Amino acid sequence: MTEQQRFLMAGVMGWPVMHSRSPLMHNYWFDQLGLAGTYVPLAIEPAGLEAALRALHPLGFAGCNLTIPHKQQAMTIVDEVDDVAKAIGAISCVVVRPDGSLFGTNNDWFGFIDNLKQDHPDWRADAGPVTVIGAGGGSRAVCYGLMREGAKEIRLVNRTRARAEGIAAEFGGPIEVLPWEDRHDALDGVAMAVNTTSQGMVGEPPLNLKLDRLPVTALAADIIYIPLETPYLAAARARGNPTINGLGMLLHQGRPAWKRWFAIEPAVTPDLRERMERSIRGG
Ligand code: ATR
């Protein structure tokens, strides 16, 4: 076995990438599984993305994750984009194939769903209506996952209605677009409400959403993980709703990436989650 076959390498390309928690997670898995390998943050400017991706093979990398702002641009660079990434419109994971060609897929939807299932084993996408706030890349992954799991009614609201209409037109099925002004009422009778906007993220104002209509049994979810508890989730928790933050989505999207890169499916353990939480709280 050659050195490069034994030493497993992957990374995350972003700009900026300095604050990414992905290296902590993946390197934890190398340690836990007793494998020789490393996962590195790669600060890549948008203009350099193609050259960086093409360098993965000569560097001996199994692949990489992509984060802001590369997820869409990579679609035009890799050699094959799978149907999932095409539907979501973004690549979250690049795999280097043995011949050096690049394959792109998206595991964000899986991260969202797999985390839900681990935390709430009784969760079902068709248990009732789901309201999704926001219509960016995060929303597309969430809506895709919910539909794949059999959601029967998705109420989609976004400040810019046209973006929500775009998702509804592409995805079809159970997505109904409601006006931004109606977002508070859109929580009436739902089984789950998901924030996919940037509102509530560190440095951003809270999401402007009144929870009066949200049934107390409804699951309140956010895909933000910095902070771990957004004002929206804090308000939901205060009134008794079960909540789910965005960290689990990040943790669980890592599992299928490992399966593709290394043919191993690592576990999201309470210990890993605690370490990630500690790192996020520490700033
Ligand atoms: P991502 O790919 O991470 O989802 P994005 O494509 O920039 O990021 O999407 C950000 C989401 O947050 C969008 O739904 C955006 O609404 P618009 O489509 O109207 O821009 C939403 N968002 C950002 N700032 C917002 C604000 N001040 N109020 C409400 N929604 C906001």
Side-chain angles (χ1 to χ4, degrees):
M1 198 181 272
T2 68
E3 167 77 18
Q4 286 217 330
Q5 280 169 325
R6 269 191 305 117
F7 194 69
L8 308 176
M9 291 185 286
V12 53
M13 293 187 188
W15 187 261
V17 80
M18 200 164 52
H19 301 293
S20 170
R21 283 345 191 256
S22 292
L24 176 60
M25 167 171 95
H26 291 277
N27 287 318
Y28 174 90
W29 281 331
F30 284 124
D31 279 355
Q32 288 295 305
L33 296 166
L35 295 168
T38 193
Y39 183 102
V40 290
L42 297 161
I44 307 296
E45 286 189 67
L49 182 62
E50 177 153 20
L53 286 171
R54 292 293 169 200
L56 288 171
H57 180 58
L59 286 168
F61 276 55
C64 70
N65 288 122
L66 296 173
T67 187
I68 291 171
H70 299 317
K71 288 186 174 188
Q72 282 92 27
Q73 194 195 338
M75 303 266 296
T76 64
I77 297 172
V78 300
D79 302 295
E80 186 188 340
V81 180
D82 75 354
D83 289 344
V84 179
K86 275 185 200 149
I88 295 173
I91 291 174
S92 71
C93 177
V94 174
V95 182
V96 179
R97 294 189 288 209
D99 65 356
S101 64
L102 302 174
F103 170 84
T105 185
N106 190 309
N107 298 322
D108 291 340
W109 74 272
F110 177 88
F112 180 72
I113 298 293
D114 201 40
N115 177 54
L116 268 177
K117 287 180 174 173
Q118 180 169 316
D119 269 21
H120 299 268
D122 297 336
W123 178 82
R124 288 180 56 104
D126 61 358
V130 181
T131 293
V132 176
I133 320 248
S139 171
R140 295 177 72 95
V142 166
C143 289
Y144 178 87
L146 291 171
M147 284 179 62
R148 211 163 143 150
E149 289 296 311
K152 296 229 164 47
E153 182 183 342
I154 298 173
R155 302 172 187 165
L156 187 59
V157 286
N158 191 48
R159 178 181 61 176
T160 309
R161 185 181 175 123
R163 291 185 85 189
E165 298 280 9
I167 297 179
E170 273 178 56
F171 287 22
I175 299 182
E176 181 196 358
V177 176
L178 298 173
W180 181 241
E181 308 74 63
D182 294 354
R183 63 194 179 283
H184 318 289
D185 293 341
L187 302 179
D188 197 29
V190 297
M192 181 163 82
V194 191
N195 174 46
T196 70
T197 74
S198 51
Q199 301 295 282
M201 200 180 277
V202 63
E204 296 282 339
L207 176 67
N208 177 348
L209 184 66
K210 295 191 197 90
L211 302 184
D212 316 32
R213 293 285 185 93
L214 186 71
V216 283
T217 51
L219 193 52
D222 206 316
I223 66 167
I224 292 170
Y225 60 91
I226 305 176
L228 288 163
E229 187 172 73
T230 57
Y232 156 60
L233 289 189
R237 186 166 60 86
R239 65 197 290 284
N241 286 94
T243 63
I244 201 148
N245 67 25
L247 179 59
M249 180 173 177
L250 174 69
L251 293 167
H252 283 260
Q253 60 78 37
R255 298 177 60 233
W258 268 58
K259 197 171 177 188
R260 296 248 188 213
W261 297 331
F262 311 129
I264 296 166
E265 246 183 311
V268 174
T269 59
D271 183 43
L272 170 58
R273 201 181 270 263
E274 271 165 39
R275 282 172 195 240
M276 294 284 277
E277 287 178 356
R278 223 178 300 138
S279 163
I280 291 164
R281 287 207 180 93

